[in-house]
Amino acid sequence: RGLGGGDGDDGGDGGGKAGGEGNEEGRLTDEDRAELRARSSEHYLACGRSFAGIMAKMCGLDAGDFVTSPPPSAPAAAAVTSAPGPSPASSALSDLRSRLSSLTPPPSSAGEFGDLAEMLDEIQEALDTADEDVRGLDAVAEMKAREIERHERAR
């Protein structure tokens, strides 16, 4: 999964530092983890853009223009960044996939086009699952903090 969603490789309790980040004990801070998750999401999105460009080119479009032109919902996607819900990377990939769905590849490329579309589906799922995992973990941390505070007040 690689997005800090519990695969044990996010530097959390392992004590390792990633790229010189972390505190004096060698553990990643919450800010470090958030930054690494964001970078990972950006890498997934970059991969998705590469696949989308290949798919656009298969359909006779300019790959660079296709992946860099703002989608019709760009203002709505920008508003999502401050609201709970999909991450900006997830929204951007979803927009690309939506635009790709209207393309028809030539018959000679249909199989490869379909395979790339399936890979984009998997990348989308990885981004969405990571977003859900982070929100779930944040909710559990909040509940734990409230419970600890409640027990301390009861003493």
Side-chain angles (χ1 to χ4, degrees):
R1 291 171 5 146
L3 292 175
D7 61 4
D9 196 24
D10 64 355
D13 293 323
K17 291 185 182 182
E21 298 163 339
N23 60 22
E24 292 127 24
E25 292 126 21
R27 294 188 181 196
L28 293 175
T29 64
D30 289 342
E31 293 81 17
D32 292 334
R33 280 192 208 104
E35 180 183 338
L36 291 171
R37 278 188 209 102
R39 273 198 255 162
S40 182
S41 292
E42 290 168 10
H43 292 156
Y44 274 108
L45 178 58
C47 183
R49 281 190 176 133
S50 295
F51 289 153
I54 292 168
M55 294 168 75
K57 190 166 182 148
M58 286 178 180
C59 297
L61 301 173
D62 182 271
D65 287 345
F66 186 84
V67 299
T68 58
S69 61
S73 63
V80 169
T81 59
S82 63
S87 69
S90 178
S91 296
L93 185 60
S94 180
D95 285 340
L96 272 176
R97 290 176 57 239
S98 176
R99 291 172 49 217
L100 284 166
S101 69
S102 67
L103 301 182
T104 305
S108 61
S109 300
E112 186 179 357
F113 189 92
D115 290 343
L116 289 169
E118 285 182 30
M119 285 190 266
L120 286 176
D121 292 345
E122 293 296 325
I123 293 170
Q124 184 76 59
E125 184 177 340
L127 285 169
D128 293 345
T129 301
D131 289 345
E132 292 167 11
D133 289 349
V134 168
R135 283 192 299 274
L137 290 171
D138 287 346
V140 168
E142 286 177 31
M143 286 188 284
K144 181 180 175 183
R146 283 194 302 259
E147 194 64 22
I148 289 171
E149 183 179 316
R150 187 175 70 87
H151 283 290
E152 287 178 355
R153 276 190 263 148
R155 288 185 195 189

mmCIF file of all heavy atoms in Angstrom, residues 94-149:
data_model
loop_
_atom_site.group_PDB
_atom_site.id
_atom_site.type_symbol
_atom_site.label_atom_id
_atom_site.label_comp_id
_atom_site.label_asym_id
_atom_site.label_seq_id
_atom_site.Cartn_x
_atom_site.Cartn_y
_atom_site.Cartn_z
ATOM 1 N N SER A 94 -9.363 10.924 -10.281
ATOM 2 C CA SER A 94 -10.752 10.641 -10.631
ATOM 3 C C SER A 94 -11.184 11.471 -11.835
ATOM 4 O O SER A 94 -11.854 10.966 -12.748
ATOM 5 C CB SER A 94 -11.648 10.914 -9.426
ATOM 6 O OG SER A 94 -12.988 10.640 -9.737
ATOM 7 N N ASP A 95 -10.795 12.750 -11.853
ATOM 8 C CA ASP A 95 -11.108 13.621 -12.994
ATOM 9 C C ASP A 95 -10.463 13.090 -14.277
ATOM 10 O O ASP A 95 -11.100 13.052 -15.333
ATOM 11 C CB ASP A 95 -10.652 15.055 -12.743
ATOM 12 C CG ASP A 95 -11.549 15.815 -11.780
ATOM 13 O OD1 ASP A 95 -12.708 15.396 -11.586
ATOM 14 O OD2 ASP A 95 -11.080 16.829 -11.222
ATOM 15 N N LEU A 96 -9.193 12.682 -14.186
ATOM 16 C CA LEU A 96 -8.516 12.131 -15.363
ATOM 17 C C LEU A 96 -9.229 10.879 -15.861
ATOM 18 O O LEU A 96 -9.449 10.707 -17.062
ATOM 19 C CB LEU A 96 -7.057 11.782 -15.031
ATOM 20 C CG LEU A 96 -6.021 12.875 -15.200
ATOM 21 C CD1 LEU A 96 -4.655 12.382 -14.733
ATOM 22 C CD2 LEU A 96 -5.947 13.346 -16.637
ATOM 23 N N ARG A 97 -9.575 9.995 -14.947
ATOM 24 C CA ARG A 97 -10.245 8.751 -15.330
ATOM 25 C C ARG A 97 -11.597 9.043 -15.974
ATOM 26 O O ARG A 97 -11.992 8.381 -16.936
ATOM 27 C CB ARG A 97 -10.412 7.839 -14.108
ATOM 28 C CG ARG A 97 -9.093 7.278 -13.629
ATOM 29 C CD ARG A 97 -9.197 6.452 -12.356
ATOM 30 N NE ARG A 97 -10.127 5.357 -12.482
ATOM 31 C CZ ARG A 97 -11.200 5.192 -11.703
ATOM 32 N NH1 ARG A 97 -11.458 6.036 -10.720
ATOM 33 N NH2 ARG A 97 -12.004 4.171 -11.887
ATOM 34 N N SER A 98 -12.295 10.047 -15.472
ATOM 35 C CA SER A 98 -13.577 10.426 -16.047
ATOM 36 C C SER A 98 -13.389 10.921 -17.484
ATOM 37 O O SER A 98 -14.156 10.557 -18.381
ATOM 38 C CB SER A 98 -14.221 11.505 -15.180
ATOM 39 O OG SER A 98 -15.418 11.957 -15.754
ATOM 40 N N ARG A 99 -12.383 11.742 -17.694
ATOM 41 C CA ARG A 99 -12.107 12.254 -19.041
ATOM 42 C C ARG A 99 -11.671 11.127 -19.973
ATOM 43 O O ARG A 99 -12.029 11.111 -21.147
ATOM 44 C CB ARG A 99 -11.055 13.360 -18.962
ATOM 45 C CG ARG A 99 -11.619 14.600 -18.270
ATOM 46 C CD ARG A 99 -10.593 15.669 -17.980
ATOM 47 N NE ARG A 99 -9.772 15.990 -19.101
ATOM 48 C CZ ARG A 99 -8.468 16.278 -18.998
ATOM 49 N NH1 ARG A 99 -7.881 16.279 -17.831
ATOM 50 N NH2 ARG A 99 -7.770 16.560 -20.062
ATOM 51 N N LEU A 100 -10.918 10.165 -19.455
ATOM 52 C CA LEU A 100 -10.479 9.028 -20.273
ATOM 53 C C LEU A 100 -11.658 8.151 -20.684
ATOM 54 O O LEU A 100 -11.624 7.527 -21.749
ATOM 55 C CB LEU A 100 -9.458 8.180 -19.514
ATOM 56 C CG LEU A 100 -8.053 8.743 -19.415
ATOM 57 C CD1 LEU A 100 -7.245 7.990 -18.369
ATOM 58 C CD2 LEU A 100 -7.358 8.700 -20.773
ATOM 59 N N SER A 101 -12.681 8.100 -19.845
ATOM 60 C CA SER A 101 -13.813 7.216 -20.130
ATOM 61 C C SER A 101 -14.546 7.609 -21.413
ATOM 62 O O SER A 101 -15.252 6.792 -21.998
ATOM 63 C CB SER A 101 -14.783 7.186 -18.948
ATOM 64 O OG SER A 101 -15.439 8.422 -18.814
ATOM 65 N N SER A 102 -14.373 8.852 -21.857
ATOM 66 C CA SER A 102 -15.037 9.294 -23.084
ATOM 67 C C SER A 102 -14.200 9.000 -24.331
ATOM 68 O O SER A 102 -14.662 9.232 -25.449
ATOM 69 C CB SER A 102 -15.356 10.785 -23.001
ATOM 70 O OG SER A 102 -14.159 11.544 -22.999
ATOM 71 N N LEU A 103 -12.988 8.501 -24.157
ATOM 72 C CA LEU A 103 -12.116 8.220 -25.302
ATOM 73 C C LEU A 103 -12.343 6.809 -25.828
ATOM 74 O O LEU A 103 -12.661 5.896 -25.065
ATOM 75 C CB LEU A 103 -10.645 8.374 -24.908
ATOM 76 C CG LEU A 103 -10.207 9.740 -24.368
ATOM 77 C CD1 LEU A 103 -8.706 9.717 -24.070
ATOM 78 C CD2 LEU A 103 -10.543 10.849 -25.341
ATOM 79 N N THR A 104 -12.146 6.653 -27.125
ATOM 80 C CA THR A 104 -12.252 5.337 -27.755
ATOM 81 C C THR A 104 -10.945 5.058 -28.483
ATOM 82 O O THR A 104 -10.611 5.751 -29.452
ATOM 83 C CB THR A 104 -13.428 5.302 -28.761
ATOM 84 O OG1 THR A 104 -14.617 5.689 -28.086
ATOM 85 C CG2 THR A 104 -13.587 3.909 -29.352
ATOM 86 N N PRO A 105 -10.212 4.051 -28.029
ATOM 87 C CA PRO A 105 -8.948 3.728 -28.688
ATOM 88 C C PRO A 105 -9.198 2.991 -30.000
ATOM 89 O O PRO A 105 -10.268 2.396 -30.191
ATOM 90 C CB PRO A 105 -8.258 2.815 -27.676
ATOM 91 C CG PRO A 105 -9.386 2.132 -26.977
ATOM 92 C CD PRO A 105 -10.486 3.161 -26.904
ATOM 93 N N PRO A 106 -8.217 3.010 -30.889
ATOM 94 C CA PRO A 106 -8.361 2.197 -32.103
ATOM 95 C C PRO A 106 -8.385 0.715 -31.722
ATOM 96 O O PRO A 106 -7.834 0.336 -30.680
ATOM 97 C CB PRO A 106 -7.116 2.553 -32.928
ATOM 98 C CG PRO A 106 -6.161 3.176 -31.983
ATOM 99 C CD PRO A 106 -6.970 3.741 -30.843
ATOM 100 N N PRO A 107 -9.047 -0.102 -32.520
ATOM 101 C CA PRO A 107 -9.157 -1.533 -32.191
ATOM 102 C C PRO A 107 -7.811 -2.199 -31.908
ATOM 103 O O PRO A 107 -7.733 -3.070 -31.038
ATOM 104 C CB PRO A 107 -9.825 -2.135 -33.427
ATOM 105 C CG PRO A 107 -10.580 -1.007 -34.049
ATOM 106 C CD PRO A 107 -9.768 0.226 -33.749
ATOM 107 N N SER A 108 -6.753 -1.772 -32.574
ATOM 108 C CA SER A 108 -5.445 -2.393 -32.375
ATOM 109 C C SER A 108 -4.862 -2.111 -30.991
ATOM 110 O O SER A 108 -3.973 -2.819 -30.521
ATOM 111 C CB SER A 108 -4.459 -1.921 -33.450
ATOM 112 O OG SER A 108 -4.288 -0.512 -33.363
ATOM 113 N N SER A 109 -5.353 -1.074 -30.299
ATOM 114 C CA SER A 109 -4.847 -0.701 -28.978
ATOM 115 C C SER A 109 -5.856 -0.946 -27.867
ATOM 116 O O SER A 109 -5.584 -0.616 -26.710
ATOM 117 C CB SER A 109 -4.462 0.781 -28.963
ATOM 118 O OG SER A 109 -3.464 1.054 -29.914
ATOM 119 N N ALA A 110 -7.006 -1.506 -28.208
ATOM 120 C CA ALA A 110 -8.087 -1.638 -27.221
ATOM 121 C C ALA A 110 -7.668 -2.479 -26.017
ATOM 122 O O ALA A 110 -7.994 -2.133 -24.878
ATOM 123 C CB ALA A 110 -9.331 -2.231 -27.883
ATOM 124 N N GLY A 111 -6.939 -3.569 -26.245
ATOM 125 C CA GLY A 111 -6.521 -4.423 -25.128
ATOM 126 C C GLY A 111 -5.577 -3.705 -24.184
ATOM 127 O O GLY A 111 -5.754 -3.749 -22.960
ATOM 128 N N GLU A 112 -4.575 -3.037 -24.743
ATOM 129 C CA GLU A 112 -3.614 -2.306 -23.913
ATOM 130 C C GLU A 112 -4.301 -1.140 -23.203
ATOM 131 O O GLU A 112 -4.026 -0.870 -22.036
ATOM 132 C CB GLU A 112 -2.458 -1.793 -24.771
ATOM 133 C CG GLU A 112 -1.351 -1.154 -23.974
ATOM 134 C CD GLU A 112 -0.187 -0.661 -24.831
ATOM 135 O OE1 GLU A 112 -0.206 -0.855 -26.056
ATOM 136 O OE2 GLU A 112 0.737 -0.075 -24.241
ATOM 137 N N PHE A 113 -5.216 -0.471 -23.901
ATOM 138 C CA PHE A 113 -5.974 0.635 -23.307
ATOM 139 C C PHE A 113 -6.755 0.126 -22.093
ATOM 140 O O PHE A 113 -6.750 0.741 -21.030
ATOM 141 C CB PHE A 113 -6.917 1.236 -24.356
ATOM 142 C CG PHE A 113 -7.586 2.508 -23.931
ATOM 143 C CD1 PHE A 113 -7.019 3.739 -24.223
ATOM 144 C CD2 PHE A 113 -8.809 2.486 -23.260
ATOM 145 C CE1 PHE A 113 -7.640 4.924 -23.850
ATOM 146 C CE2 PHE A 113 -9.436 3.665 -22.880
ATOM 147 C CZ PHE A 113 -8.851 4.886 -23.178
ATOM 148 N N GLY A 114 -7.400 -1.021 -22.246
ATOM 149 C CA GLY A 114 -8.160 -1.610 -21.147
ATOM 150 C C GLY A 114 -7.274 -1.988 -19.967
ATOM 151 O O GLY A 114 -7.647 -1.791 -18.807
ATOM 152 N N ASP A 115 -6.082 -2.537 -20.283
ATOM 153 C CA ASP A 115 -5.150 -2.896 -19.209
ATOM 154 C C ASP A 115 -4.709 -1.655 -18.430
ATOM 155 O O ASP A 115 -4.632 -1.674 -17.197
ATOM 156 C CB ASP A 115 -3.913 -3.600 -19.779
ATOM 157 C CG ASP A 115 -4.211 -4.995 -20.313
ATOM 158 O OD1 ASP A 115 -5.275 -5.556 -19.975
ATOM 159 O OD2 ASP A 115 -3.369 -5.517 -21.072
ATOM 160 N N LEU A 116 -4.407 -0.571 -19.150
ATOM 161 C CA LEU A 116 -4.005 0.669 -18.484
ATOM 162 C C LEU A 116 -5.156 1.243 -17.654
ATOM 163 O O LEU A 116 -4.937 1.751 -16.553
ATOM 164 C CB LEU A 116 -3.509 1.691 -19.507
ATOM 165 C CG LEU A 116 -2.160 1.370 -20.160
ATOM 166 C CD1 LEU A 116 -1.899 2.295 -21.348
ATOM 167 C CD2 LEU A 116 -1.038 1.459 -19.151
ATOM 168 N N ALA A 117 -6.381 1.131 -18.179
ATOM 169 C CA ALA A 117 -7.544 1.605 -17.422
ATOM 170 C C ALA A 117 -7.690 0.816 -16.123
ATOM 171 O O ALA A 117 -8.010 1.394 -15.068
ATOM 172 C CB ALA A 117 -8.809 1.485 -18.271
ATOM 173 N N GLU A 118 -7.433 -0.479 -16.167
ATOM 174 C CA GLU A 118 -7.497 -1.295 -14.945
ATOM 175 C C GLU A 118 -6.419 -0.883 -13.947
ATOM 176 O O GLU A 118 -6.663 -0.852 -12.736
ATOM 177 C CB GLU A 118 -7.353 -2.774 -15.289
ATOM 178 C CG GLU A 118 -8.592 -3.368 -15.913
ATOM 179 C CD GLU A 118 -8.451 -4.850 -16.206
ATOM 180 O OE1 GLU A 118 -7.702 -5.542 -15.482
ATOM 181 O OE2 GLU A 118 -9.097 -5.309 -17.165
ATOM 182 N N MET A 119 -5.226 -0.559 -14.454
ATOM 183 C CA MET A 119 -4.165 -0.096 -13.550
ATOM 184 C C MET A 119 -4.558 1.229 -12.899
ATOM 185 O O MET A 119 -4.297 1.439 -11.708
ATOM 186 C CB MET A 119 -2.839 0.025 -14.293
ATOM 187 C CG MET A 119 -2.204 -1.320 -14.581
ATOM 188 S SD MET A 119 -0.528 -1.186 -15.194
ATOM 189 C CE MET A 119 -0.822 -1.209 -16.945
ATOM 190 N N LEU A 120 -5.203 2.117 -13.663
ATOM 191 C CA LEU A 120 -5.671 3.380 -13.086
ATOM 192 C C LEU A 120 -6.731 3.125 -12.018
ATOM 193 O O LEU A 120 -6.766 3.816 -11.001
ATOM 194 C CB LEU A 120 -6.230 4.301 -14.176
ATOM 195 C CG LEU A 120 -5.201 4.959 -15.082
ATOM 196 C CD1 LEU A 120 -5.902 5.759 -16.180
ATOM 197 C CD2 LEU A 120 -4.259 5.845 -14.293
ATOM 198 N N ASP A 121 -7.585 2.125 -12.247
ATOM 199 C CA ASP A 121 -8.578 1.760 -11.228
ATOM 200 C C ASP A 121 -7.883 1.343 -9.934
ATOM 201 O O ASP A 121 -8.308 1.720 -8.832
ATOM 202 C CB ASP A 121 -9.466 0.610 -11.711
ATOM 203 C CG ASP A 121 -10.377 0.998 -12.854
ATOM 204 O OD1 ASP A 121 -10.561 2.207 -13.114
ATOM 205 O OD2 ASP A 121 -10.918 0.066 -13.500
ATOM 206 N N GLU A 122 -6.818 0.551 -10.054
ATOM 207 C CA GLU A 122 -6.074 0.086 -8.877
ATOM 208 C C GLU A 122 -5.393 1.241 -8.153
ATOM 209 O O GLU A 122 -5.381 1.298 -6.921
ATOM 210 C CB GLU A 122 -5.035 -0.971 -9.280
ATOM 211 C CG GLU A 122 -5.643 -2.268 -9.779
ATOM 212 C CD GLU A 122 -6.447 -2.997 -8.725
ATOM 213 O OE1 GLU A 122 -6.079 -2.952 -7.527
ATOM 214 O OE2 GLU A 122 -7.470 -3.606 -9.096
ATOM 215 N N ILE A 123 -4.826 2.171 -8.913
ATOM 216 C CA ILE A 123 -4.189 3.341 -8.300
ATOM 217 C C ILE A 123 -5.236 4.170 -7.567
ATOM 218 O O ILE A 123 -5.008 4.628 -6.441
ATOM 219 C CB ILE A 123 -3.443 4.190 -9.360
ATOM 220 C CG1 ILE A 123 -2.247 3.406 -9.909
ATOM 221 C CG2 ILE A 123 -2.983 5.523 -8.777
ATOM 222 C CD1 ILE A 123 -1.603 4.056 -11.137
ATOM 223 N N GLN A 124 -6.406 4.350 -8.197
ATOM 224 C CA GLN A 124 -7.491 5.102 -7.561
ATOM 225 C C GLN A 124 -7.895 4.433 -6.256
ATOM 226 O O GLN A 124 -8.071 5.097 -5.232
ATOM 227 C CB GLN A 124 -8.699 5.197 -8.497
ATOM 228 C CG GLN A 124 -9.830 6.048 -7.951
ATOM 229 C CD GLN A 124 -9.527 7.519 -8.069
ATOM 230 O OE1 GLN A 124 -9.309 8.013 -9.157
ATOM 231 N NE2 GLN A 124 -9.516 8.234 -6.956
ATOM 232 N N GLU A 125 -8.019 3.116 -6.284
ATOM 233 C CA GLU A 125 -8.408 2.388 -5.078
ATOM 234 C C GLU A 125 -7.357 2.549 -3.976
ATOM 235 O O GLU A 125 -7.698 2.729 -2.802
ATOM 236 C CB GLU A 125 -8.604 0.904 -5.400
ATOM 237 C CG GLU A 125 -9.106 0.106 -4.231
ATOM 238 C CD GLU A 125 -9.359 -1.354 -4.579
ATOM 239 O OE1 GLU A 125 -9.512 -1.694 -5.766
ATOM 240 O OE2 GLU A 125 -9.388 -2.157 -3.626
ATOM 241 N N ALA A 126 -6.078 2.515 -4.361
ATOM 242 C CA ALA A 126 -5.010 2.687 -3.370
ATOM 243 C C ALA A 126 -5.086 4.071 -2.724
ATOM 244 O O ALA A 126 -4.964 4.204 -1.501
ATOM 245 C CB ALA A 126 -3.638 2.480 -4.014
ATOM 246 N N LEU A 127 -5.310 5.098 -3.530
ATOM 247 C CA LEU A 127 -5.424 6.455 -2.987
ATOM 248 C C LEU A 127 -6.643 6.588 -2.077
ATOM 249 O O LEU A 127 -6.558 7.143 -0.982
ATOM 250 C CB LEU A 127 -5.523 7.480 -4.127
ATOM 251 C CG LEU A 127 -4.234 7.783 -4.876
ATOM 252 C CD1 LEU A 127 -4.520 8.600 -6.127
ATOM 253 C CD2 LEU A 127 -3.249 8.500 -3.984
ATOM 254 N N ASP A 128 -7.775 6.071 -2.532
ATOM 255 C CA ASP A 128 -9.003 6.204 -1.749
ATOM 256 C C ASP A 128 -8.920 5.418 -0.443
ATOM 257 O O ASP A 128 -9.366 5.891 0.602
ATOM 258 C CB ASP A 128 -10.209 5.744 -2.562
ATOM 259 C CG ASP A 128 -10.497 6.652 -3.755
ATOM 260 O OD1 ASP A 128 -9.946 7.774 -3.792
ATOM 261 O OD2 ASP A 128 -11.255 6.232 -4.642
ATOM 262 N N THR A 129 -8.355 4.224 -0.497
ATOM 263 C CA THR A 129 -8.215 3.408 0.703
ATOM 264 C C THR A 129 -7.297 4.086 1.715
ATOM 265 O O THR A 129 -7.586 4.097 2.910
ATOM 266 C CB THR A 129 -7.677 2.008 0.346
ATOM 267 O OG1 THR A 129 -8.586 1.389 -0.559
ATOM 268 C CG2 THR A 129 -7.513 1.140 1.565
ATOM 269 N N ALA A 130 -6.211 4.666 1.227
ATOM 270 C CA ALA A 130 -5.289 5.360 2.133
ATOM 271 C C ALA A 130 -5.981 6.539 2.806
ATOM 272 O O ALA A 130 -5.815 6.762 4.009
ATOM 273 C CB ALA A 130 -4.054 5.824 1.374
ATOM 274 N N ASP A 131 -6.764 7.293 2.035
ATOM 275 C CA ASP A 131 -7.505 8.425 2.611
ATOM 276 C C ASP A 131 -8.441 7.946 3.715
ATOM 277 O O ASP A 131 -8.516 8.540 4.787
ATOM 278 C CB ASP A 131 -8.328 9.147 1.530
ATOM 279 C CG ASP A 131 -7.482 9.932 0.540
ATOM 280 O OD1 ASP A 131 -6.296 10.165 0.834
ATOM 281 O OD2 ASP A 131 -8.024 10.308 -0.520
ATOM 282 N N GLU A 132 -9.163 6.855 3.442
ATOM 283 C CA GLU A 132 -10.096 6.316 4.431
ATOM 284 C C GLU A 132 -9.356 5.822 5.674
ATOM 285 O O GLU A 132 -9.812 6.031 6.797
ATOM 286 C CB GLU A 132 -10.900 5.160 3.820
ATOM 287 C CG GLU A 132 -11.852 5.602 2.731
ATOM 288 C CD GLU A 132 -12.405 4.440 1.916
ATOM 289 O OE1 GLU A 132 -12.225 3.270 2.319
ATOM 290 O OE2 GLU A 132 -13.011 4.710 0.863
ATOM 291 N N ASP A 133 -8.208 5.159 5.465
ATOM 292 C CA ASP A 133 -7.421 4.656 6.592
ATOM 293 C C ASP A 133 -6.950 5.788 7.490
ATOM 294 O O ASP A 133 -7.026 5.705 8.718
ATOM 295 C CB ASP A 133 -6.206 3.856 6.106
ATOM 296 C CG ASP A 133 -6.569 2.517 5.498
ATOM 297 O OD1 ASP A 133 -7.738 2.092 5.624
ATOM 298 O OD2 ASP A 133 -5.674 1.898 4.888
ATOM 299 N N VAL A 134 -6.464 6.857 6.897
ATOM 300 C CA VAL A 134 -5.968 7.998 7.673
ATOM 301 C C VAL A 134 -7.105 8.619 8.469
ATOM 302 O O VAL A 134 -6.956 8.909 9.661
ATOM 303 C CB VAL A 134 -5.283 9.037 6.758
ATOM 304 C CG1 VAL A 134 -5.026 10.341 7.494
ATOM 305 C CG2 VAL A 134 -3.991 8.479 6.204
ATOM 306 N N ARG A 135 -8.262 8.803 7.827
ATOM 307 C CA ARG A 135 -9.407 9.379 8.551
ATOM 308 C C ARG A 135 -9.834 8.471 9.698
ATOM 309 O O ARG A 135 -10.146 8.935 10.790
ATOM 310 C CB ARG A 135 -10.562 9.646 7.591
ATOM 311 C CG ARG A 135 -10.361 10.896 6.741
ATOM 312 C CD ARG A 135 -11.636 11.302 6.026
ATOM 313 N NE ARG A 135 -12.121 10.283 5.103
ATOM 314 C CZ ARG A 135 -11.733 10.151 3.838
ATOM 315 N NH1 ARG A 135 -10.823 10.970 3.353
ATOM 316 N NH2 ARG A 135 -12.246 9.221 3.065
ATOM 317 N N GLY A 136 -9.827 7.163 9.461
ATOM 318 C CA GLY A 136 -10.198 6.217 10.519
ATOM 319 C C GLY A 136 -9.229 6.252 11.678
ATOM 320 O O GLY A 136 -9.632 6.251 12.849
ATOM 321 N N LEU A 137 -7.939 6.286 11.365
ATOM 322 C CA LEU A 137 -6.924 6.338 12.423
ATOM 323 C C LEU A 137 -7.006 7.646 13.209
ATOM 324 O O LEU A 137 -6.829 7.656 14.428
ATOM 325 C CB LEU A 137 -5.525 6.144 11.837
ATOM 326 C CG LEU A 137 -5.230 4.745 11.318
ATOM 327 C CD1 LEU A 137 -3.903 4.727 10.560
ATOM 328 C CD2 LEU A 137 -5.228 3.737 12.443
ATOM 329 N N ASP A 138 -7.281 8.744 12.510
ATOM 330 C CA ASP A 138 -7.443 10.030 13.195
ATOM 331 C C ASP A 138 -8.625 9.983 14.153
ATOM 332 O O ASP A 138 -8.553 10.487 15.280
ATOM 333 C CB ASP A 138 -7.627 11.170 12.186
ATOM 334 C CG ASP A 138 -6.350 11.530 11.451
ATOM 335 O OD1 ASP A 138 -5.253 11.102 11.894
ATOM 336 O OD2 ASP A 138 -6.441 12.229 10.417
ATOM 337 N N ALA A 139 -9.727 9.371 13.718
ATOM 338 C CA ALA A 139 -10.915 9.273 14.581
ATOM 339 C C ALA A 139 -10.621 8.427 15.814
ATOM 340 O O ALA A 139 -11.024 8.772 16.927
ATOM 341 C CB ALA A 139 -12.089 8.687 13.799
ATOM 342 N N VAL A 140 -9.899 7.320 15.632
ATOM 343 C CA VAL A 140 -9.540 6.469 16.767
ATOM 344 C C VAL A 140 -8.633 7.223 17.733
ATOM 345 O O VAL A 140 -8.805 7.144 18.953
ATOM 346 C CB VAL A 140 -8.873 5.164 16.281
ATOM 347 C CG1 VAL A 140 -8.233 4.405 17.431
ATOM 348 C CG2 VAL A 140 -9.873 4.292 15.551
ATOM 349 N N ALA A 141 -7.668 7.979 17.218
ATOM 350 C CA ALA A 141 -6.765 8.751 18.077
ATOM 351 C C ALA A 141 -7.547 9.790 18.891
ATOM 352 O O ALA A 141 -7.263 9.992 20.080
ATOM 353 C CB ALA A 141 -5.687 9.426 17.236
ATOM 354 N N GLU A 142 -8.529 10.436 18.266
ATOM 355 C CA GLU A 142 -9.349 11.418 18.981
ATOM 356 C C GLU A 142 -10.159 10.749 20.092
ATOM 357 O O GLU A 142 -10.244 11.269 21.208
ATOM 358 C CB GLU A 142 -10.288 12.136 18.011
ATOM 359 C CG GLU A 142 -9.599 13.138 17.123
ATOM 360 C CD GLU A 142 -10.557 13.777 16.127
ATOM 361 O OE1 GLU A 142 -11.772 13.918 16.455
ATOM 362 O OE2 GLU A 142 -10.103 14.138 15.040
ATOM 363 N N MET A 143 -10.745 9.595 19.774
ATOM 364 C CA MET A 143 -11.526 8.879 20.787
ATOM 365 C C MET A 143 -10.640 8.452 21.953
ATOM 366 O O MET A 143 -11.029 8.570 23.116
ATOM 367 C CB MET A 143 -12.198 7.645 20.174
ATOM 368 C CG MET A 143 -13.375 7.971 19.296
ATOM 369 S SD MET A 143 -14.288 6.508 18.772
ATOM 370 C CE MET A 143 -13.205 5.855 17.527
ATOM 371 N N LYS A 144 -9.439 7.990 21.639
ATOM 372 C CA LYS A 144 -8.504 7.560 22.681
ATOM 373 C C LYS A 144 -8.140 8.741 23.575
ATOM 374 O O LYS A 144 -8.123 8.620 24.801
ATOM 375 C CB LYS A 144 -7.254 6.962 22.047
ATOM 376 C CG LYS A 144 -6.236 6.475 23.045
ATOM 377 C CD LYS A 144 -5.022 5.900 22.334
ATOM 378 C CE LYS A 144 -3.942 5.521 23.326
ATOM 379 N NZ LYS A 144 -2.737 5.019 22.650
ATOM 380 N N ALA A 145 -7.847 9.894 22.975
ATOM 381 C CA ALA A 145 -7.487 11.081 23.752
ATOM 382 C C ALA A 145 -8.631 11.510 24.669
ATOM 383 O O ALA A 145 -8.411 11.850 25.835
ATOM 384 C CB ALA A 145 -7.094 12.216 22.809
ATOM 385 N N ARG A 146 -9.867 11.468 24.152
ATOM 386 C CA ARG A 146 -11.024 11.827 24.982
ATOM 387 C C ARG A 146 -11.194 10.842 26.133
ATOM 388 O O ARG A 146 -11.498 11.234 27.259
ATOM 389 C CB ARG A 146 -12.291 11.878 24.133
ATOM 390 C CG ARG A 146 -12.413 13.128 23.292
ATOM 391 C CD ARG A 146 -13.817 13.281 22.737
ATOM 392 N NE ARG A 146 -14.212 12.135 21.925
ATOM 393 C CZ ARG A 146 -14.209 12.107 20.593
ATOM 394 N NH1 ARG A 146 -13.827 13.170 19.928
ATOM 395 N NH2 ARG A 146 -14.589 11.033 19.946
ATOM 396 N N GLU A 147 -10.990 9.562 25.855
ATOM 397 C CA GLU A 147 -11.143 8.541 26.888
ATOM 398 C C GLU A 147 -10.074 8.712 27.975
ATOM 399 O O GLU A 147 -10.367 8.613 29.170
ATOM 400 C CB GLU A 147 -11.067 7.147 26.260
ATOM 401 C CG GLU A 147 -11.520 6.049 27.145
ATOM 402 C CD GLU A 147 -12.996 6.121 27.526
ATOM 403 O OE1 GLU A 147 -13.801 6.757 26.821
ATOM 404 O OE2 GLU A 147 -13.345 5.532 28.569
ATOM 405 N N ILE A 148 -8.857 8.991 27.589
ATOM 406 C CA ILE A 148 -7.781 9.211 28.561
ATOM 407 C C ILE A 148 -8.100 10.430 29.411
ATOM 408 O O ILE A 148 -7.956 10.399 30.635
ATOM 409 C CB ILE A 148 -6.422 9.371 27.836
ATOM 410 C CG1 ILE A 148 -5.981 8.026 27.258
ATOM 411 C CG2 ILE A 148 -5.367 9.942 28.776
ATOM 412 C CD1 ILE A 148 -4.767 8.121 26.340
ATOM 413 N N GLU A 149 -8.550 11.487 28.768
ATOM 414 C CA GLU A 149 -8.901 12.711 29.501
ATOM 415 C C GLU A 149 -10.046 12.441 30.487
ATOM 416 O O GLU A 149 -10.019 12.898 31.623
ATOM 417 C CB GLU A 149 -9.307 13.800 28.506
ATOM 418 C CG GLU A 149 -9.628 15.124 29.157
ATOM 419 C CD GLU A 149 -10.004 16.175 28.126
ATOM 420 O OE1 GLU A 149 -9.315 16.268 27.092
ATOM 421 O OE2 GLU A 149 -11.002 16.888 28.377
#
